[in-house]
Amino acid sequence: MPHFLEIFRTDANDLRRIIAAAKSMKSARLGLPKAALDQKRPLAGHMIALIFEKPSTRTRVSFDVGVRQLGGETIVLSRNDMQLGHGETIADSARVLSRYVDLIVLRTFEEAVIHEMAEYATVPVINGLTNRTHPCQVMADVMTFEEHRGSLADKKVVWVGDGTNVCASFLQASAKFDFKLTYCGPTELRPDDEFVNFAVAAGAAVTFERDIERAMDGADLVVTDTWISMHDSKDTSSEREALLRPYQVTEAVMRLAKADALFMHCLPAHRGEEVTSDVMDGSQSVIWDEAENRLHVQKAIMRWCLNQ
Ligand code: CP
């Protein structure tokens, strides 16, 4: 069953094919008249369940729009709409949903939930974010870098700040797309060793650098994320902020990277916390392209899952 659960579980050639298909669909959409596009409806007759146990703007809208552009239909469900998490087991929900829909996109809390859904579903499951990983985001980020600067292979990516679920997926991607990844942030908020060890064992060049000036030297891509993620306790916010304050991405920090370095953020951002507005809105920022490319890359992921 071709689930899309974590980047490290998908063959590197398939990941490349997905990004190529996403670029091709994006070009077609920009260049072809709408009538021609409407004739290409590879998901016609397919029903896609979009299940969100946590809030979402980009993932929810981009999947919903993507399915419609491909000719399919969606049913969007929140935690309150379903028995999932209210007593019915994940396995039973997976078995039932598989009788109704052709593909399940799930945003949930625990990584174990998405793996249990995939184990018992008889249709493909796509990870729309868990507390530990966010593979669709990082596929869009790889596509975005390639559009602006060409291949990521051998490039230096610097992750600044909290080692979040997006950082974990970047670590997995570093092994698949052969880029160097430097984590620059407080030791307490480093990404889990499991992700680091996987990337290193798979041959990726992963380094840790607490000093932001040294970390940014030679950076081709600078990435950060919010200091308080959806699953973090608000009780610890001031302690986290104190740890993370030296790692705010400012224009001065961006000047330490290569002159043509790009800036990325998965969004939503807290302007003035992890990044300043002048960087978000500056010439090196590609955040809106990242958000747009969620649409294109997820269309390609869905087609890969459904072999369409
Ligand atoms: N980046 C991202 O996944 O955004 P949403 O939480 O709005 O879906």
Side-chain angles (χ1 to χ4, degrees):
M1 184 64 64
H3 302 298
F4 192 77
L5 301 177
E6 294 187 76
I7 286 178
F8 87 86
R9 289 172 188 264
T10 307
D11 181 79
N13 291 326
D14 284 346
L15 295 171
R16 282 252 53 93
R17 271 195 283 276
I18 287 168
I19 288 184
K23 288 178 183 171
S24 164
M25 281 188 284
K26 182 174 182 179
S27 306
R29 198 142 191 101
L30 291 172
L32 288 178
K34 194 169 186 312
L37 278 171
D38 289 345
Q39 289 161 16
K40 298 183 176 181
R41 300 170 77 81
L43 295 196
H46 289 78
M47 179 60 73
I48 317 299
L50 305 177
I51 305 172
F52 287 86
E53 294 199 281
K54 301 166 95 170
S56 168
T57 298
R58 280 142 288 269
T59 308
R60 178 178 166 151
V61 177
S62 57
F63 265 110
D64 203 348
V65 170
V67 171
R68 289 158 196 258
Q69 288 183 359
L70 295 172
E73 294 183 70
T74 60
I75 177 163
V76 184
L77 297 158
S78 74
R79 190 177 176 81
N80 294 336
D81 300 322
M82 303 184 68
Q83 303 290 3
L84 193 69
H86 297 287
E88 186 167 42
T89 66
I90 309 300
D92 288 351
S93 295
R95 292 179 180 113
V96 170
L97 287 168
S98 300
R99 301 291 179 106
Y100 302 138
V101 304
D102 303 289
L103 175 67
I104 298 167
V105 177
L106 174 61
R107 168 169 288 197
T108 188
F109 294 85
E110 301 304 326
E111 190 87 0
V113 171
I114 198 127
H115 289 298
E116 194 173 345
M117 182 70 81
E119 185 179 347
Y120 291 97
T122 53
V123 298
V125 176
I126 296 176
N127 177 353
L129 176 146
T130 71
N131 290 359
R132 284 172 66 75
T133 57
H134 199 1
C136 292
Q137 179 65 54
V138 173
M139 289 293 282
D141 294 351
V142 172
M143 175 179 171
T144 304
F145 186 90
E146 290 185 354
E147 283 181 336
H148 286 268
R149 297 284 184 266
S151 171
L152 247 179
D154 296 325
K155 295 287 193 298
K156 179 177 178 181
V157 176
V158 180
W159 182 278
V160 183
D162 190 5
T164 62
N165 48 3
V166 182
C167 180
S169 289
F170 256 104
L171 277 162
Q172 295 187 351
S174 69
K176 296 285 186 176
F177 293 97
D178 301 320
F179 57 85
K180 296 175 264 189
L181 192 133
T182 297
Y183 170 76
C184 178
T187 307
E188 295 87 335
L189 298 175
R190 273 172 55 141
D192 271 8
D193 283 346
E194 176 196 330
F195 298 113
V196 176
N197 294 342
F198 161 78
V200 171
V206 179
T207 54
F208 293 87
E209 178 53 73
R210 292 198 63 168
D211 183 278
I212 200 159
E213 285 194 30
R214 280 202 292 265
M216 297 292 283
D217 186 36
D220 297 284
L221 171 62
V222 180
V223 197
T224 192
D225 199 351
T226 51
W227 290 347
I228 304 293
S229 294
M230 280 183 266
H231 49 273
D232 288 330
S233 159
K234 296 284 177 273
D235 299 342
T236 57
S237 58
S238 57
E239 192 184 324
R240 292 171 68 84
E241 188 174 332
L243 285 171
L244 287 161
R245 180 59 59 191
Y247 298 100
Q248 183 185 56
V249 180
T250 61
E251 278 197 318
V253 166
M254 287 302 295
R255 278 195 292 275
L256 299 167
K258 280 187 180 170
D260 67 347
L262 297 177
F263 170 76
M264 289 191 188
H265 190 307
C266 63
L267 305 177
H270 292 181
R271 289 171 180 256
E273 289 189 10
E274 71 274 10
V275 57
T276 54
S277 273
D278 47 17
V279 173
M280 292 268 294
D281 301 325
S283 60
Q284 290 166 283
S285 170
V286 289
I287 55 176
W288 312 125
D289 293 338
E290 282 181 89
E292 178 186 340
N293 286 337
R294 294 292 302 278
L295 169 68
H296 306 295
V297 90
Q298 289 161 190
K299 285 165 69 178
I301 291 169
M302 289 189 284
R303 293 184 70 171
W304 175 80
C305 287
L306 293 166
N307 195 24
Q308 293 293 329

